[in-house]
Amino acid sequence: MTALKQRLLDYYEKNETKVDIAFFLGGFIFDVLTLSDIDDPLSIVQQVVYLGVIGLILFYDFLSTHNLVTVSPRVSKYWEYRNLAVHFLLGSLLSVYSLFFLKSASIFSSIVFVVLMMGIMVANELKSVQKAAVDLKVALYVICLFAFFSMTIPVLLGFVGVTTFLLSIALTAAVIYGAFALLTKKVDNKKLLLRTLAVPGFGVLGLFLILYFIGWIPPVPLSVQNMGIYHNIEKSEGNYLLSHENPSWRFWKTGDQEFLAEPGDKIYFFAQIYSPARFSDSVIVHWYYKDPRQGWISTDKVPMKISGGRKNGFRGFAVKQNYAAGEGRVSVETTDGREIGRIYFNVMKNEMSSENRTFTTEIM
């Protein structure tokens, strides 16, 4: 057994980069294959366990690094693998949260935040990060803590908005303060604690506050699964019948994004939105028109009540009667103005009614 352990250690020392990448990919693939709904109890418990293990390792790693605690012989044989464990668990959590944020983000409004999360995942692979002092790992850990609270609190309360965001910030800050209070009983050097714990921890929270109020943090757990522009929508026996003129060869268009309008036509917008069970909130269907001189102008805001629990997502639609020829777009937004999804369309008016119109009907 000792010989096998030594061979593994020798292999790791010679192939450290490959092993680290394998651990990261292992954590990422594991989470992709096992990714459950955001409100799945087992998934939440798993995240709590991961966060607890990382927190304990970082806590005792700080103490042992500054000779404030001695690792017992029984634990020491496992302690040398602590960086690999933290690396794997952080990679696993970051991948989960990146996937959830990516699903909830409108790429147009949240690209900066999504790129930031992806960048953090890549940074977790860098040797400088893996071998860094505790303060850099604390920053990554606080990011995971905030992501956890920002996802679970809306699930528990059943809505998203400023209240759930500020609660997420407050709970994350409480964890940081709790760790700081525990360490002050063992460490006399307060400046050291401020530099390695308070500054990176509260610095991350400050960054998230800025990103939120400029609208760059996606409104997890909501996500638009499907949306489109149609000539007519009817509800029949629990299904939505979506009528459009879009030919089959134009597969990259959803419904009538090239909208040929004749007298009496209305523009119908359909959306399929995922929300967790027991979730009850509203979204705003925000209509825009692109004025040739002034650019994008807001024309209408229509509230849409959504409720969770349906596996394939909540379905609903909005109708617009007054419109002009030209470019338009519809944004699905939370009540606090964060965009979940966006679709563009172009209206071409035909002042004469045609008798040879052929509509295709989809069932949703």
Side-chain angles (χ1 to χ4, degrees):
M1 195 68 180
T2 304
L4 176 61
K5 177 184 175 181
Q6 189 58 48
R7 286 200 298 271
L8 290 174
L9 287 174
D10 291 341
Y11 180 83
Y12 176 68
E13 290 177 0
K14 293 178 182 179
N15 302 275
E16 189 174 356
T17 301
K18 294 179 180 179
V19 173
D20 288 338
I21 292 175
F23 264 75
F24 172 76
L25 291 176
F28 185 82
I29 293 172
F30 176 79
D31 285 312
V32 169
L33 295 176
T34 61
L35 187 66
S36 304
D37 290 336
I38 199 168
D39 58 344
D40 180 64
L42 291 178
S43 177
I44 293 174
V45 169
Q46 180 189 26
Q47 293 171 53
V48 171
V49 171
Y50 281 18
L51 289 168
V53 171
I54 297 171
L56 285 173
I57 292 175
L58 293 180
F59 185 83
Y60 285 102
D61 192 26
F62 175 86
L63 294 177
S64 64
T65 300
H66 295 88
N67 300 316
L68 297 171
V69 69
T70 302
V71 179
S72 66
R74 181 179 297 180
V75 176
S76 62
K77 59 182 179 180
Y78 304 108
W79 189 245
E80 58 187 302
Y81 301 110
R82 65 189 182 279
N83 286 330
L84 277 178
V86 169
H87 181 61
F88 177 85
L89 296 177
L90 278 176
S92 180
L93 289 173
L94 287 169
S95 65
V96 167
Y97 298 141
S98 295
L99 289 169
F100 277 132
F101 277 123
L102 188 60
K103 287 173 64 178
S104 294
S106 164
I107 197 66
F108 301 100
S109 63
S110 303
I111 184 64
V112 174
F113 184 79
V114 173
V115 169
L116 175 63
M117 288 297 294
M118 295 299 180
I120 291 168
M121 288 176 61
V122 174
N124 189 48
E125 303 312 301
L126 300 177
K127 295 299 177 187
S128 57
V129 174
Q130 296 172 27
K131 297 180 178 180
V134 176
D135 52 349
L136 192 50
K137 295 174 185 176
V138 165
L140 293 175
Y141 181 61
V142 171
I143 290 171
C144 290
L145 269 179
F146 168 78
F148 171 75
F149 287 128
S150 68
M151 293 180 185
T152 54
I153 289 176
V155 168
L156 293 174
L157 297 183
F159 62 90
V160 296
V162 177
T163 301
T164 56
F165 172 77
L166 293 179
L167 276 174
S168 303
I169 290 288
L171 287 173
T172 307
V175 173
I176 298 172
Y177 178 78
F180 186 86
L182 286 173
L183 287 172
T184 53
K185 297 177 181 179
K186 299 177 179 293
V187 181
D188 294 328
N189 191 339
K190 299 298 187 295
K191 290 184 177 180
L192 177 64
L193 283 179
L194 287 172
R195 189 183 74 247
T196 58
L197 178 60
V199 171
F202 288 110
V204 166
L205 293 185
L207 175 62
F208 279 126
L209 278 168
I210 294 172
L211 293 177
Y212 178 85
F213 286 108
I214 59 179
W216 286 353
I217 293 185
V220 174
L222 298 178
S223 63
V224 176
Q225 297 177 314
N226 183 29
M227 58 182 168
I229 301 294
Y230 298 92
H231 266 84
N232 188 47
I233 298 178
E234 296 179 1
K235 190 173 183 180
S236 175
E237 298 180 354
N239 295 316
Y240 285 85
L241 308 180
L242 316 177
S243 299
H244 63 84
E245 294 183 292
N246 188 43
S248 58
W249 60 265
R250 197 184 289 160
F251 58 88
W252 61 91
K253 298 288 186 180
T254 307
D256 288 319
Q257 286 182 259
E258 297 296 328
F259 194 92
L260 182 58
E262 295 189 0
D265 281 353
K266 303 174 185 177
I267 301 177
Y268 289 79
F269 169 77
F270 174 83
Q272 186 175 350
I273 303 171
Y274 169 79
S275 61
R278 299 179 301 279
F279 197 90
S280 180
D281 203 353
S282 295
V283 296
I284 304 297
V285 178
H286 196 167
W287 297 82
Y288 291 88
Y289 168 71
K290 190 173 185 180
D291 185 271
R293 295 182 178 180
Q294 302 180 55
W296 289 107
I297 298 174
S298 172
T299 58
D300 295 285
K301 290 184 178 182
V302 181
M304 180 188 293
K305 186 73 175 177
I306 62 173
S307 58
R310 187 175 183 275
K311 184 174 180 61
N312 294 324
F314 171 86
R315 297 162 300 167
F317 67 93
V319 186
K320 187 169 180 62
Q321 296 183 358
N322 300 317
Y323 53 87
E327 294 182 63
R329 83 168 191 249
V330 180
S331 296
V332 181
E333 303 170 354
T334 59
T335 52
D336 59 345
R338 287 184 290 167
E339 188 176 83
I340 309 170
R342 180 191 301 186
I343 188 170
Y344 290 89
F345 61 95
N346 187 43
V347 177
M348 297 163 288
K349 284 195 172 184
N350 181 5
E351 300 301 333
M352 301 291 293
S353 296
S354 173
E355 297 180 358
N356 300 319
R357 306 178 78 181
T358 301
F359 291 100
T360 301
T361 301
E362 297 180 11
I363 301 176
M364 295 293 292

